[in-house]
Amino acid sequence: MYEFDWSSIPGALPFLAKGMLVSLEIMVAAVVIGIVWGTLLAMMRLSSIKPLSWFAAGYVNTFRAIPLVMVLLWFFLIVPHLLEQLLGVPRGTDMRLGSAIAGFALFEAAYYSEIIRAGIQSVSKGQMAAASALGMNYWQSMRLVVLPQAFRNMVPLLLTQGIILFQDTSLVYVSALADFFGTASKVGDRDGRLVEMLLFAGAVYFVLCFSASQLVRFYQKRLKTA
Amino acid sequence: MSHLELDHLVQRYGEHTVVNGVSFRIETGSIACLLGPSGCGKTTLLRCIAGFEPIAGGEIRVEGELFSRPGCSLPPEKRQIGMVFQDYALFPHLTISDNIAFGLKDETPEERKTRVAGLLQTIGLDHQGNKYPHELSGGQQQRVALARALAPRPQLILLDEPFSNLDVDLRERLSVEVRDILKQEGMTAILVTHDQHEAFAMADEIGIMHGGAIQQWDTPYNLYHRPANRFVADFVGQGAFLEGTIIDEHWVEVDTGVLESQKPLACCFDASPACGPGSRVEVLVRPDDVVHDDASPLKAEVLHRAFRGAEFLYTLRLPGGAQLLSLVSSHHNHAIGEQIGIRLEIDDIVCFPVQATLSPP
């Protein structure tokens, strides 16, 4: 019978906290960039200008058809080279965090754009017409009338996608970046207590994500009754 | 110069022509109405004026300035034309005040505040500006939609079936109220509806639309009493037709006897040159032209009756088989099948040539 020994965990907490900070950093940055880029993609997809619509459709279908872990690996391998060549960044600079954020953001944008597209389409066309009859051009109508309503309806879906993204941040282990999961596994290895450390890390992910989903569900209920 | 001018406007969806050569002019401060059955093209016409649809032919001008012609259309946001939508299209994420202030872009915050407060008072919702649209009743939402359209002081305001979502009582009250508000603001307006009571209550002039064309553009009084064609006569108000033969400009012979018109016979002589003494015609008989008179030798059988409170609307059958409608004070309570005495009292006779389908081609 395996003997559990949790004694190494308290000492590892400062490292784990640092790792958690990295995970959260990736998540927040990827969610923000992903939503902005996803909104633009959704608007392109709905645009009457055909090439824009085709580009957005191609982008979304491509990113939804390849595994996230591959996208992360490509960015880990390619982005430093690109920056080196384009901006003359010195060789060997640690860009793993930037690469990871870029990979997540571009990947998630594909998913966000589909959520946002549905959200924009859920706002009745009459709203756009009403705004233009009041003197607003396309961009003003979008910004002041359509998007605020679309986002209000979409908040639960966007948050849920954010929670999934938070879990997926653990995939940065492919670039040996010290996020929460990576740190846990490294510290566990070092102390020879990998099983305990990973169980603990799993419990932390569960508590965070489960309570976040409960909050989303609560918010969703309130939105429905409002 | 007319305020709004439509010149041979044409609009098509694919092969289907929805608006077919409509021309009319509206003077500043006038409230006009496009009245017609559903599918007659009236809402499409309104959307063309608002700039939501490019047009296939003709021109739209406001104050002499060209707004639309085929291949060229001023976008809606540059037209300064306000619109009240059938479903109101209020912005649910904004308060009532913010909804009304939405179109006020160039004003200072002070001016916006004053304008919004003024309009809230006009529509009877002062101190309710902080509520959201879903917290208001249908009638209140309707008034907010009107205030929102009025706020930027547009050149013209369009109302698309504005009362169709309201119950009948509210509809009548609100149509009078909306007319007062529009007049108070000195606004030129076009209303689109299929409900003639609404049109009569609101409009200074009415265009009857059918099959994508204006059948008659006239005052409510003339539409009812001097309809230009058979469609208008049928569509506006109630009535029945009696077949007869023209004797001369003032006399028509029908089954029940000879009728005299004080004015020369309307329509017939203007509309159809083939129509003259000896022509077979259909005479329009309104329910209020048929007077109940027990002493009259002319008897008719009661086929159907509808109680309207102050009066009955009787459907009657003449001995010859023709049917008439009669509006009779509700003290005269007659059973179905009963024979009652009637008299025809028509001041100005309106008649139409017997419809072409009846005569061989």
Side-chain angles (χ1 to χ4, degrees):
Chain A
M1 183 72 192
Y2 185 83
E3 290 267 324
F4 285 105
D5 176 4
W6 305 98
S7 60
S8 67
I9 288 175
L13 284 179
F15 298 109
L16 290 174
K18 225 182 235 173
M20 180 56 78
L21 221 57
V22 173
S23 292
L24 289 173
E25 211 174 327
I26 295 173
M27 180 193 74
V28 171
V31 165
V32 172
I33 301 171
I35 287 180
V36 172
W37 178 222
T39 307
L40 290 173
L41 281 171
M43 279 159 63
M44 284 192 233
R45 184 84 190 257
L46 294 171
S47 161
S48 55
I49 306 166
K50 283 286 163 230
L52 283 183
S53 168
W54 291 332
F55 166 76
Y59 181 98
V60 169
N61 288 327
T62 308
F63 273 97
R64 294 212 303 178
I66 45 179
L68 173 57
V69 69
M70 276 175 65
V71 176
L72 293 176
L73 205 50
W74 287 338
F75 271 84
F76 168 57
L77 298 171
I78 295 166
V79 170
H81 275 290
L82 269 179
L83 291 180
E84 240 168 65
Q85 282 175 357
L86 293 177
L87 302 173
V89 176
R91 191 175 277 271
T93 315
D94 185 4
M95 279 175 288
R96 287 177 304 175
L97 184 63
S99 304
I101 288 174
F104 274 113
L106 295 185
F107 184 88
E108 291 297 325
Y111 288 84
Y112 279 128
S113 88
E114 286 297 282
I115 297 175
I116 294 162
R117 180 165 72 116
I120 291 175
Q121 283 175 320
S122 76
V123 177
S124 109
K125 282 203 175 9
Q127 293 282 310
M128 195 80 178
S132 64
L134 289 165
M136 299 293 167
N137 63 31
Y138 176 82
W139 289 103
Q140 290 168 322
S141 309
M142 257 310 182
R143 187 166 55 84
L144 298 172
V145 173
V146 177
L147 289 179
Q149 291 181 57
F151 275 102
R152 218 179 85 121
N153 299 337
M154 288 175 326
V155 165
L157 278 174
L158 292 176
L159 288 177
T160 304
Q161 188 66 24
I163 295 169
I164 296 171
L165 175 61
F166 178 66
Q167 295 164 9
D168 287 348
T169 53
S170 57
L171 290 173
V172 294
Y173 80 89
V174 292
S175 60
L177 189 63
D179 74 321
F180 182 67
F181 173 73
T183 310
S185 115
K186 255 184 239 164
V187 174
D189 254 348
R190 185 197 65 190
D191 298 343
R193 284 291 163 203
L194 188 58
V195 174
E196 287 86 345
M197 201 52 90
L198 290 188
L199 279 172
F200 174 71
V204 172
Y205 275 115
F206 175 81
V207 169
L208 286 179
C209 294
F210 183 74
S211 30
S213 337
Q214 290 306 307
L215 281 176
V216 171
R217 188 175 295 184
F218 175 73
Y219 177 80
Q220 203 166 10
K221 259 191 199 151
R222 238 192 42 181
L223 200 68
K224 262 188 200 143
T225 51
Chain B
M1 190 191 304
S2 302
H3 188 63
L4 170 75
E5 204 177 337
L6 265 67
D7 191 8
H8 292 95
L9 187 80
V10 177
Q11 175 65 324
R12 293 191 191 91
Y13 293 134
E15 289 291 287
H16 184 55
T17 303
V18 187
V19 177
N20 193 2
V22 168
S23 304
F24 61 78
R25 293 146 174 266
I26 297 173
E27 303 302 326
T28 306
S30 172
I31 300 177
C33 173
L34 294 168
L35 175 64
S38 14
C40 71
K42 55 192 193 301
T43 293
T44 304
L45 191 59
L46 205 67
R47 293 179 57 83
C48 289
I49 298 171
F52 294 130
E53 299 197 15
I55 61 175
E59 282 182 2
I60 299 173
R61 277 186 298 268
V62 174
E63 291 287 333
E65 192 191 337
L66 187 64
F67 270 31
S68 288
R69 65 177 163 79
C72 171
S73 181
L74 192 68
E77 67 266 21
K78 299 219 170 109
R79 294 191 176 212
Q80 294 186 302
I81 293 180
M83 185 141 178
V84 177
F85 295 84
Q86 190 170 3
D87 61 354
Y88 317 140
L90 293 176
F91 304 131
H93 62 300
L94 300 179
T95 62
I96 301 310
S97 292
D98 288 342
N99 263 282
I100 296 174
F102 191 83
L104 300 171
K105 285 191 296 185
D106 304 326
E107 286 77 358
T108 64
E110 278 307 302
E111 286 169 342
R112 290 170 65 129
K113 235 176 143 182
T114 320
R115 180 75 175 139
V116 170
L119 281 165
L120 280 172
Q121 195 170 15
T122 307
I123 61 172
L125 286 175
D126 13 7
H127 312 302
Q128 303 207 46
N130 289 327
K131 287 190 176 171
Y132 282 87
H134 70 266
E135 297 173 283
L136 301 184
S137 70
Q140 290 172 327
Q141 290 183 17
Q142 215 286 326
R143 279 176 283 198
V144 173
L146 178 69
R148 184 181 68 174
L150 287 171
R153 297 194 167 84
Q155 303 197 48
L156 173 69
I157 192 161
L158 307 174
L159 303 107
D160 183 11
E161 305 257 5
F163 308 113
S164 61
N165 291 329
L166 304 173
D167 52 56
V168 182
D169 274 356
L170 193 57
R171 201 181 290 188
E172 281 182 15
R173 215 182 64 216
L174 211 55
S175 55
V176 175
E177 214 172 283
V178 166
R179 184 186 156 87
D180 290 345
I181 293 173
L182 289 172
K183 287 291 176 193
Q184 187 186 323
E185 297 266 325
M187 199 56 73
T188 314
I190 303 180
L191 163 81
V192 152
T193 182
H194 61 269
D195 180 337
Q196 46 183 303
H197 299 292
E198 215 171 283
F200 288 165
M202 287 265 308
D204 300 316
E205 45 190 331
I206 297 175
I208 304 290
M209 263 191 100
H210 177 57
I214 303 275
Q215 304 291 324
Q216 185 175 359
W217 189 279
D218 222 323
T219 60
Y221 183 89
N222 281 350
L223 288 173
Y224 188 80
H225 289 288
R226 311 286 282 182
N229 59 37
R230 178 72 203 251
F231 176 81
V232 176
D234 254 341
F235 187 73
V236 177
Q238 285 175 306
F241 291 91
L242 279 185
E243 273 202 43
T245 309
I246 293 181
I247 298 170
D248 66 22
E249 278 209 340
H250 287 272
W251 295 87
V252 182
E253 185 178 6
V254 294
D255 289 353
T256 59
V258 176
L259 300 173
E260 186 189 5
S261 180
Q262 287 170 4
K263 290 191 191 144
L265 294 179
C267 304
C268 228
F269 287 105
D270 330 331
S272 165
C275 198
S279 306
R280 294 290 293 164
V281 289
E282 291 177 297
V283 177
L284 171 64
V285 185
R286 297 287 191 198
D288 46 310
D289 295 334
V290 181
V291 180
H292 181 261
D293 179 3
D294 287 327
S296 168
L298 179 60
K299 301 287 179 200
E301 182 191 347
V302 177
L303 284 185
H304 181 77
R305 53 184 215 155
F307 184 60
R308 299 238 175 130
E311 66 243 332
F312 274 113
L313 181 68
Y314 286 111
T315 308
L316 304 173
R317 182 164 58 199
L318 292 173
Q323 293 189 8
L324 290 178
L325 293 171
S326 175
L327 211 50
V328 176
S329 154
S330 69
H331 298 299
H332 298 275
N333 190 0
H334 297 289
I336 288 174
E338 206 175 312
Q339 296 281 334
I340 62 172
I342 55 164
R343 206 159 23 86
L344 296 185
E345 264 183 22
I346 312 178
D347 290 344
D348 299 317
I349 292 175
V350 172
C351 59
F352 303 99
V354 169
Q355 285 192 327
T357 49
L358 298 176
S359 56

